[in-house]
Amino acid sequence: MGGGGKCFTVTVTRKELVAAVVPMQEHWLPLSNLDLLLPPIDVSVFFCYKKPHQNANGGDDFTFGSMVGVLRKALAQALVSYYAFAGEVVSNSVGEPELLCNNRGVDFMEAYADAKLHDLSLYNPDDSIEGKLVPKKQHGVLCAQVTELKCGGLVVGCTFDHRIADAYSANMFLVSWAEMALCKPLSVVPSFRRSLLNIRRPGSYDPSLDEMYVLISALPPPRAPQPGGADPFINRIYYVTAEQLSLLQTLASTSKGSSYKRTKLESFSAFLWKMVAASAVMENDNKKTCKMGIVVDGRRRLSSGDEDKSAVMASYFGNVLSIPFGEKMIDELKEKPLSWVADAVHEYLEGAVTKEHFLGLIDWVEAHRPEPALAKTYCSGSSDGPAFVVSSGQRFAVSKVDFGWGRPALGSYHFPWDGEAGYVMPMPSPAREGDWVVYMHLLKGQIELIETEAAHVFRPLTSEYLNLIS
């Protein structure tokens, strides 16, 4: 790791509220049935920028103060369209969360880190990111922190309430924020039309949804801590080369002949499923099962065949997610070829990538309201065997989050959720076309096995790889 990932401290130097520059009338925005499937968890995202180049006269176009000024002003402008991020989540009379759009504003912090960008141990976000470069949200729906680094570089970190936005929505906002900074018109104006996710009358849903989602009241009580301490979750960031992804895709596609191809995400997920299962074998858990969920975005599915609805759904702000999962015996996952596991991934995804699946899920939530529910995978991963979720971040437009001083050297989500399952997000790499940056939140034992058995695939994210060493 360039610089050895030294310890460093971050000092918050200023904190203020940034509200929309043009406030709108206070109003309530109900959460959709798909929003209601999310527990109260926060998601973080961060972007690392190198020190801006000097201008032709040898002077600095951008000081930290001027960059913060650009970010603050652009945020106030972006919040006019993305007013949901300036509101507050409040419980209604039946205990369900609702969004009060009152232009409370966004907690906006300035900070200083006594570290250089190339010294940050980005491979280990537990050391470099958590509690330092992404803010903990205390109030509201969104908070932001802009951190000056010793080298003149910059880190922009945000944390938002997942009940209000999925990653697709957050990505729209981040690009719009950058567009405001560059005085460009918004390429996408967000839509908050909850009627796009209306229930059907009469409602109906496939019984298989009872296997995918569970009422919180039906969950067993939390398990007591085990003697000696359980295997803890840790966070790591890797990169996977385009060549390795192609090789995995080839290996995952061999069972159906040369004309048949699994997607890169299916192939990658199948490989990871085998790895997590292998870590359980080491602990003599091979008679148990291993679950893997894959997050599916429903925007295109819900508008299938309808061009007008497709355009509106593409700008829909909120959660339009489902997490179907597969469950296989650990022995099988370990011993069968990658192509067999990839077939299993494809098979369970097929049922969830349909319009009917999402319409049924909206109706399933309605049938159980106001009882809160969540995806079973979130609370899996206990005595039944390991479980984890893969969420594709391939639409994460890192290169478009340019506020005027260049594209980020790195952009990544950071999501150490409190669930009992692991979480993995592959994203496009800013350093090399076709490579992926992969954020992992997995058990320490699982990470150790992956680093031992699959070091050729998952390589620690380093300053050298990101071209941060000047």
Side-chain angles (χ1 to χ4, degrees), residues 335-351:
E335 289 159 17
K336 297 277 190 184
L338 184 64
S339 56
W340 182 90
V341 182
D343 288 349
V345 174
H346 183 78
E347 194 179 299
Y348 81 72
L349 274 180
E350 254 184 333

Side-chain angles (χ1 to χ4, degrees), residues 238-405:
Y238 303 92
Y239 71 94
V240 181
T241 65
E243 293 77 12
Q244 282 295 339
L245 289 168
S246 294
L247 181 58
L248 287 179
Q249 192 173 20
T250 302
L251 292 170
S253 305
T254 51
S255 65
K256 301 282 184 178
S258 56
S259 63
Y260 188 84
K261 232 180 183 185
R262 289 282 168 238
T263 67
K264 283 192 171 69
L265 183 69
E266 287 171 336
S267 311
F268 168 88
S269 301
F271 180 74
L272 205 51
W273 203 0
K274 282 179 72 69
M275 284 289 111
V276 170
S279 75
V281 171
M282 306 276 286
E283 294 159 20
N284 300 315
D285 282 348
N286 46 318
K287 298 304 173 203
K288 294 180 178 177
T289 62
C290 180
K291 294 191 190 84
M292 179 177 70
I294 293 188
V295 178
V296 176
D297 186 295
R299 284 171 176 81
R300 277 187 302 127
R301 279 85 189 184
L302 281 166
S303 53
S304 59
D306 182 337
E307 279 189 28
D308 291 338
K309 190 168 183 183
S310 180
V312 184
M313 281 307 301
S315 63
Y316 179 80
F317 186 100
N319 287 284
V320 195
L321 304 175
S322 180
I323 315 181
F325 68 89
E327 182 172 14
K328 295 289 180 188
M329 296 296 293
I330 282 168
D331 270 351
E332 276 187 315
L333 289 168
K334 183 172 182 284
E335 289 159 17
K336 297 277 190 184
L338 184 64
S339 56
W340 182 90
V341 182
D343 288 349
V345 174
H346 183 78
E347 194 179 299
Y348 81 72
L349 274 180
E350 254 184 333
V353 294
T354 64
K355 182 177 183 176
E356 180 55 40
H357 170 83
F358 280 92
L359 292 174
L361 183 53
I362 291 165
D363 288 344
W364 185 92
V365 175
E366 190 66 23
H368 296 89
R369 285 179 66 181
E371 271 231 62
L374 45 71
K376 265 193 182 171
T377 39
Y378 179 75
C379 39
S380 295
S382 51
S383 51
D384 309 332
F388 68 102
V389 170
V390 177
S391 178
S392 172
Q394 291 309 310
R395 287 205 190 93
F396 186 36
V398 181
S399 63
K400 291 183 179 176
V401 189
D402 177 351
F403 296 100
W405 44 85

Side-chain angles (χ1 to χ4, degrees), residues 41 84 120 194 261 381 391 424 448:
I41 48 177
L120 297 179
R194 300 303 195 221
K261 232 180 183 185
S391 178
V424 175
E448 284 170 353

Side-chain angles (χ1 to χ4, degrees), residues 25-301:
Q25 187 173 350
E26 182 171 307
H27 66 285
W28 292 89
L29 184 66
L31 270 59
S32 77
N33 280 11
L34 297 182
D35 293 325
L36 293 172
L37 285 170
L38 273 294
I41 48 177
D42 291 337
V43 185
S44 294
V45 60
F46 66 92
F47 300 90
C48 301
Y49 298 88
K50 295 180 188 179
K51 180 182 179 179
H53 292 302
Q54 290 185 321
N55 61 30
N57 302 321
D60 286 334
D61 283 330
F62 292 106
T63 62
F64 177 67
S66 69
M67 290 189 283
V68 167
V70 167
L71 288 164
R72 187 192 297 112
K73 182 181 175 186
L75 177 59
Q77 292 169 329
L79 290 173
V80 175
S81 296
Y82 290 87
Y83 54 84
F85 270 156
E88 293 179 271
V89 178
V90 182
S91 288
N92 64 17
S93 58
V94 291
E96 290 180 334
E98 277 192 25
L99 187 62
L100 174 59
C101 300
N102 59 358
N103 200 30
R104 173 206 174 268
V106 168
D107 283 343
F108 184 85
M109 285 155 278
E110 297 171 38
Y112 176 79
D114 63 345
K116 296 177 180 177
L117 184 52
H118 67 75
D119 284 340
L120 297 179
S121 177
L122 295 167
Y123 149 73
N124 182 355
D126 289 332
D127 280 355
S128 58
I129 303 299
E130 176 66 24
K132 291 182 176 178
L133 299 176
V134 293
K136 284 265 184 265
K137 185 171 69 60
Q138 307 291 343
H139 310 284
V141 176
L142 168 74
C143 66
Q145 178 180 313
V146 187
T147 306
E148 179 183 15
L149 300 170
K150 207 155 65 169
C151 56
L154 194 74
V155 178
V156 178
C158 298
T159 301
F160 63 90
D161 190 326
H162 202 339
R163 293 173 296 179
I164 303 305
D166 56 14
Y168 183 103
S169 307
N171 294 346
M172 279 198 306
F173 164 75
L174 291 161
V175 171
S176 296
W177 187 8
E179 287 169 342
M180 290 285 97
L182 297 172
C183 301
K184 290 182 177 178
L186 293 188
S187 53
V188 178
V189 177
S191 164
F192 296 92
R193 272 175 60 189
R194 300 303 195 221
S195 59
L196 291 168
L197 303 180
N198 270 356
I199 57 168
R200 297 175 291 188
R201 297 189 189 279
S204 66
Y205 59 87
D206 192 278
S208 63
L209 288 172
D210 288 325
E211 297 304 311
M212 285 173 56
Y213 291 88
V214 61
L215 297 176
I216 289 175
S217 60
L219 291 174
R223 297 189 314 282
Q226 297 168 350
D231 193 10
F233 278 101
I234 61 173
N235 300 281
R236 295 289 184 266
I237 303 180
Y238 303 92
Y239 71 94
V240 181
T241 65
E243 293 77 12
Q244 282 295 339
L245 289 168
S246 294
L247 181 58
L248 287 179
Q249 192 173 20
T250 302
L251 292 170
S253 305
T254 51
S255 65
K256 301 282 184 178
S258 56
S259 63
Y260 188 84
K261 232 180 183 185
R262 289 282 168 238
T263 67
K264 283 192 171 69
L265 183 69
E266 287 171 336
S267 311
F268 168 88
S269 301
F271 180 74
L272 205 51
W273 203 0
K274 282 179 72 69
M275 284 289 111
V276 170
S279 75
V281 171
M282 306 276 286
E283 294 159 20
N284 300 315
D285 282 348
N286 46 318
K287 298 304 173 203
K288 294 180 178 177
T289 62
C290 180
K291 294 191 190 84
M292 179 177 70
I294 293 188
V295 178
V296 176
D297 186 295
R299 284 171 176 81
R300 277 187 302 127
R301 279 85 189 184

